[in-house]
Amino acid sequence: MNDPLVSLQARLGYVFTRPALLLEAVTHPSYLNEHPGAGPHNQRLEFLGDAVLGHVLTTELFLLFSVEPEGALSRRRSVLNNGRTLAALALDLGLDATLRLGGSENTPEGRTRPSNLEDAFEALIGALYLDAGLETTRARVLAIYGPVHERLAAGLEGDNPKGRLQELVQPLHGNSALRYETVQCGGADHAKEYACTLTLADRPLGSGRGPSKKTAEEAAAREALKTYPAGGI
């Protein structure tokens, strides 16, 4: 029987020199409840991977769309790194088969839960960055995404509330006026719920909840779109 981690590395196009990093990337917090000595879970790597992925995508979009303003670039980036896209990429890589899950999360539903897939994908990028450096990570990320124009076209057909809101706000308030802040994270490991607030120029614009930070932010943006710009900000 094929080892899922070996298959994952084959699809990724990279073999880890430090396998412990890969194992950490696929370890959900719930796994440690039953295996407390199994090493760290993937949340720290997810934090790092989120930043690395943002850097890679931002640079690529800056180079590809050399005359676009920052608002349009931000919209494109939000299409490429929203929760729906990351979960789909994780499934393409077969990350669902590699996840180390515990308790009631260790089910087919848990393996395909978007928040678990999003976190594992970003954790994998963080692990890759630590093991291989930025240039190799950049090459692997772009290979995973495939042609960026095609990925953008597919993503723009779906729901992208953060991008749509950014496009409305940017001409009047600039690219950095919107602020998403996670204000709460609760629930069991297999049923996390995040709460996010959204402000524009320090004024409340919306709030949202979801099973991951990204989905909570998307919910907040979706709420804000119902009233913006009627709020007069």
Side-chain angles (χ1 to χ4, degrees):
M1 176 179 274
N2 290 334
D3 183 337
L5 289 178
V6 172
S7 299
L8 172 61
Q9 291 173 97
R11 286 188 289 270
L12 182 62
Y14 179 80
V15 176
F16 277 76
T17 61
R18 290 182 283 173
L21 283 171
L22 178 59
L23 200 61
E24 181 179 341
V26 299
T27 300
H28 188 269
S30 65
Y31 186 80
L32 300 186
N33 294 333
E34 299 174 0
H35 307 85
H41 57 66
N42 63 10
Q43 297 302 288
R44 279 174 53 85
L45 284 177
E46 182 267 333
F47 172 79
L48 175 62
D50 178 57
V52 173
L53 183 62
H55 171 76
V56 170
L57 295 177
T58 298
T59 302
E60 185 67 11
L61 291 170
F62 183 84
L63 296 173
L64 281 177
F65 302 96
S66 58
V67 298
E68 282 195 349
E70 55 186 350
L73 291 173
S74 293
R75 183 185 179 217
R76 293 185 187 278
R77 183 178 59 192
S78 69
V79 170
L80 294 178
N81 71 355
N82 66 29
R84 181 181 302 180
T85 299
L86 298 189
L89 292 172
L91 286 174
D92 289 345
L93 283 172
L95 264 171
D96 54 315
T98 71
L99 291 178
R100 297 207 294 176
L101 302 168
S104 60
E105 196 69 4
N106 191 17
T107 64
E109 292 78 13
R111 291 192 175 278
T112 56
R113 197 181 309 282
S115 57
N116 291 344
L117 293 170
E118 294 165 33
D119 286 356
F121 182 81
E122 290 180 328
L124 178 64
I125 301 305
L128 181 60
Y129 171 74
L130 291 177
D131 199 66
L134 182 58
E135 287 309 308
T136 296
T137 301
R138 177 181 181 276
R140 291 298 87 217
V141 165
L142 296 180
I144 292 167
Y145 272 85
V148 171
H149 287 86
E150 293 180 13
R151 184 70 65 176
L152 284 167
L156 286 169
E157 292 175 359
D159 184 30
N160 179 25
K162 289 180 67 176
R164 288 188 284 128
L165 182 62
Q166 179 68 32
E167 195 170 60
L168 291 172
V169 167
Q170 192 273 335
L172 292 176
H173 300 280
N175 193 46
S176 303
L178 289 172
R179 181 184 177 191
Y180 296 87
E181 182 178 0
T182 300
V183 295
Q184 183 181 347
C185 174
D189 288 333
H190 66 280
K192 287 287 189 184
E193 183 178 64
Y194 293 82
C196 170
T197 59
L198 169 60
T199 56
L200 171 60
D202 295 325
R203 298 184 186 182
L205 197 61
S207 62
R209 291 179 175 272
S212 71
K213 288 179 286 187
K214 283 185 171 60
T215 54
E217 290 175 358
E218 289 167 2
R222 198 173 289 111
E223 180 180 282
L225 283 166
K226 296 176 181 178
T227 58
Y228 186 85
I233 298 176

